[in-house]
Amino acid sequence: MTPRLNGCVYCASLHARLAAQLGKRPEDIDRLLLTGVAPGTQLDLDDRWQAVVDLAVALAPTPPVATEQHVARLRGLGLSDLEILDVA
């Protein structure tokens, strides 16, 4: 998601391919690539995936704007600390 936000076509392609394979949600990944992931973009994702995208987008700028609420939201959706670390 971060490469789509910052415009790195090579990284977006690489990360998208891996995310589609590992996440088994190629349609969602295609939508992210086509629509973009700017904050507030309506992506029609389920709550879990939207929370993952929101954290990734919040971690992308310098300095990052991620908050404890991003992590709490992921925990509330059932992600473990290790899974949240993977997202980050």
Side-chain angles (χ1 to χ4, degrees):
M1 273 97 21
T2 300
R4 178 58 177 92
L5 182 66
N6 68 24
C8 180
V9 176
Y10 172 77
C11 291
S13 173
L14 176 68
H15 288 274
R17 186 174 66 244
L18 289 173
Q21 288 172 347
L22 297 174
K24 299 185 182 8
R25 297 175 71 151
E27 297 84 14
D28 287 338
I29 299 302
D30 287 344
R31 189 175 321 110
L32 291 169
L33 289 173
L34 290 172
T35 306
V37 294
T41 302
Q42 179 54 264
L43 297 168
D44 297 321
L45 301 172
D46 62 40
D47 290 340
R48 181 181 171 113
W49 268 72
Q50 187 63 57
V52 167
V53 169
D54 290 345
L55 176 59
V57 168
L59 289 170
T62 303
V65 296
T67 66
E68 292 178 21
Q69 286 77 22
H70 287 97
V71 174
R73 182 174 170 204
L74 289 168
R75 279 196 185 117
L77 291 167
L79 275 76
S80 69
D81 287 345
L82 187 55
E83 290 170 317
I84 293 169
L85 182 60
D86 255 355
V87 169

